[in-house]
Structure formats: C-alpha cells, structure tokens
Amino acid sequence: MLSAIAKLIKSLGANTNPGEIAHAMACGMILGLMPKNNLMWYLVMVFILFVRINKPMYVIMMLAGSVIAPACDGFFDTIGYSFLTIPQFSGFFGTLLDIPFVAFSKFNNSVVMGAFLCGLALYIPLYVLSRGLVALFRKTVVPALRKAKLTKIINQIPLVAKIAGLMGEE
C-alpha cells in the first residue's frame, strides 16, 4: 500500500506523460460512476486496463466516483431513461436484447446507461481539467516542496527515507 502511494506521488512530479495521468482520472471516473454488478462494467474495465494509464490514479478516481455515484443515481436514471426510450433506437435495443449474453451487460437498465453516458460526457472536460492540474502541480507545488525546510527535515526520518528509496530518489 505504501509503495502504491509512493508511486502515485512520484508520477505526479516525475517526467511521466501528463496525458497518462489525465486519462487515468477520466477513465477511473467513468467506471466509478457506473454500477458494478453488470457485464458492461467489467467489459469497460478490461478495455481500460489495456490502455497506457497511471494505474494508481485510475484506482483512486474509481473509488472517488464510487463515492459520488449513489448521490447521482436519480440523475443517471433520468438520463438513461431518456436515452433508452428514444423511438428511433427501440428496434436496435430490442435486437440487442435478443443476442445471448448481451442482456448481462444490463445496458437496458436506465441507471447503468445513464451513468455510462454521463461518464462519457465528463471524459473530455475531466481530461482537460486534470491535465491542467497536473501541469500546475508540477510547475508550482513540486519545486516549492523540494525547497521547503520541512521537507528536508521530514526526509531525515527513517521511514520516510525508506519510502523515498522505494520511489527511487536519493
């Protein structure tokens, strides 16, 4: 657990691509908002695991989305119901339900569909916002932390030195 947190902190200040962190935040939010008891969630999760992203940030944002999601279920239900009841798509959705195993995705559940659509709608704004926050963090916070006297004092504590060793710093 300690090494995962250390890797996350290191990636925020390291030379890793800020896009990887931003994608992780956006993808984690998509999965965090969706209910977890359906095949659609697992398919999206497996797809995202094959994308190059910062995995610790992905897990943190998935947990954050899971905390937020219950408060938004009414909104997700409204969005999902509105989408699922579009008359032009009724034949398509009926055909999907006739395909074996597609019903396990619960795409026809208004909360699942609404959460998925809201997650997709939030993807680009969250990506842009998080990419800017990572750049701001690297430009202002990291140099200030490296110069702070408190940081130098804390680095002399043996446990902190061990964590820094895990991160590859000296």
Side-chain angles (χ1 to χ4, degrees), residues 12-118:
L12 286 173
N15 288 332
T16 59
N17 186 351
E20 290 179 18
I21 297 169
H23 280 299
M25 292 178 84
C27 290
M29 189 55 70
I30 289 174
L31 279 181
L33 293 177
M34 288 177 60
K36 311 323 180 244
N37 61 346
N38 59 71
L39 183 62
M40 191 169 173
W41 188 86
Y42 291 105
L43 291 174
V44 173
M45 183 186 75
V46 168
F47 173 74
I48 290 173
L49 287 177
F50 286 108
V51 178
R52 185 181 197 122
I53 59 173
N54 183 290
K55 302 296 191 250
M57 183 58 77
Y58 170 68
V59 171
I60 287 172
M61 288 304 289
M62 196 173 3
L63 292 172
S66 296
V67 169
I68 296 168
C72 301
D73 277 350
F75 179 70
F76 295 154
D77 182 50
T78 304
I79 297 294
Y81 182 79
S82 298
F83 182 74
L84 290 170
T85 56
I86 295 174
Q88 292 83 356
F89 291 153
S90 64
F92 175 69
F93 291 143
T95 304
L96 282 179
L97 283 174
D98 292 337
I99 299 172
F101 298 108
V102 174
F104 291 128
S105 71
K106 294 188 181 178
F107 76 91
N108 59 334
N109 182 323
S110 59
V111 175
V112 172
M113 183 58 76
F116 181 67
L117 292 173
C118 288

Side-chain angles (χ1 to χ4, degrees), residues 30 115-126:
I30 289 174
F116 181 67
L117 292 173
C118 288
L120 288 178
L122 285 173
Y123 188 88
I124 292 176
L126 189 58

Side-chain angles (χ1 to χ4, degrees), residues 2-22:
L2 219 52
S3 64
I5 294 171
K7 286 179 185 178
L8 174 64
I9 293 170
K10 181 180 178 185
S11 69
L12 286 173
N15 288 332
T16 59
N17 186 351
E20 290 179 18
I21 297 169

